[in-house]
Amino acid sequence: MELMDVIKRRRSIRNYDPGNIPKEKLDRVLMAGLLSPSGRNIKPWEFIVVEDRSALANLAEARTGNADMLKQASCAIVVVGNQELTDTWVEDCSLAMLNMHMMADYLGLGSCWIQCRMRYAKDGRTSEEYIREMLKIPENYRLEAILSLGLISSHPRPHTEAHARVDKIHRETF
Ligand SMILES: Cc1cc2nc3c(=O)[nH]c(=O)nc-3n(C[C@H](O)[C@H](O)[C@H](O)COP(=O)(O)O)c2cc1C
């Protein structure tokens, strides 16, 4: 598939079929994250792979709003960044999230970005406090986001260029 086709095809998918993600596919998703660009090539990210069903249900409690897809997901990749290494940890971890999200779609898996930075858990703590305790994350690591991952029986329609907001492009000045 051409890169533009991969970009158009990528969608957020929140409904999953039961079953495990084949190990080789999960490894490729994680590799896509590890090969992401980062400021000064510091790669401040760490990825915590969660596949235990009760842990996934507990992770769904880490966010008010739209995180219930974690209860159906086969796997979650929790992305944290070391804020002591670099002031671009948010950007770096975002790029790793996008690379993994794109690779998942390319491999026919469903995935969705679950925002966790500056968000709250259902128990009133921040999502970061909740997940830090649950997953034993050291203090110098900050929580970026969770990528939910699962098997899908059907893929939503790809994006088309007809829906692209070309008026967002400015030339020479705003
Ligand atoms: C930074 C960011 C945060 C997001 N947070 C959530 C979220 O917390 N829950 C969710 O269901 N989707 C989340 N999404 C997915 C967006 O809702 C989705 O990308 C958008 O609606 C466009 O749909 P598409 O991904 O299918 O093109 C997030 C996406 C991004 C890039």
Side-chain angles (χ1 to χ4, degrees):
M1 215 186 311
E2 214 190 295
L3 181 56
M4 186 56 98
D5 294 329
V6 178
I7 289 170
K8 285 180 182 167
R9 202 187 113 96
R10 180 219 55 80
R11 297 296 311 273
S12 298
I13 300 179
R14 301 175 180 84
N15 291 308
Y16 311 115
D17 290 341
N20 294 332
I21 293 174
K23 183 183 178 307
E24 53 290 2
K25 287 195 178 184
L26 180 56
D27 286 347
R28 286 182 79 187
V29 168
L30 291 164
M31 186 55 69
L34 292 175
L35 294 176
S36 305
S38 65
R40 291 180 286 152
N41 207 17
I42 286 175
K43 306 182 195 301
W45 47 66
E46 306 280 336
F47 308 145
I48 305 157
V49 179
V50 177
E51 293 181 280
D52 180 80
R53 287 244 60 81
S54 68
L56 287 166
N58 288 341
L59 264 189
E61 303 298 303
R63 260 291 311 275
T64 56
N66 207 354
D68 280 351
M69 63 284 236
L70 285 167
K71 293 179 190 164
Q72 274 187 16
S74 309
C75 173
I77 303 173
V78 178
V79 176
V80 299
N82 188 333
Q83 67 173 356
E84 289 175 355
L85 291 179
T86 172
D87 60 1
T88 61
W89 69 269
V90 175
E91 292 84 350
D92 300 334
C93 289
S94 297
L95 289 167
M97 281 286 296
L98 179 61
N99 263 9
M100 293 194 285
H101 179 41
M102 294 254 286
M103 179 57 88
D105 197 292
Y106 178 76
L107 295 172
L109 299 171
S111 71
C112 188
W113 184 311
I114 299 170
Q115 178 71 17
C116 289
R117 203 173 60 82
M118 301 189 299
R119 294 291 180 272
Y120 285 88
K122 288 177 186 148
D123 69 4
R125 286 185 283 172
T126 63
S127 300
E128 184 172 71
E129 286 165 341
Y130 182 101
I131 292 177
R132 186 182 301 288
E133 182 183 304
M134 181 185 159
L135 302 181
K136 303 178 174 46
I137 297 168
E139 280 298 322
N140 49 327
Y141 286 89
R142 303 297 310 277
L143 177 63
E144 167 75 13
I146 302 173
L147 189 70
S148 61
L149 275 171
L151 305 175
I152 50 167
S153 38
S154 66
H155 190 285
R157 262 188 285 173
H159 292 288
T160 66
E161 289 186 26
H163 292 108
R165 288 278 307 275
V166 288
D167 59 310
K168 298 266 187 188
I169 300 172
H170 308 269
R171 302 195 192 273
E172 313 306 341
T173 58
F174 189 92

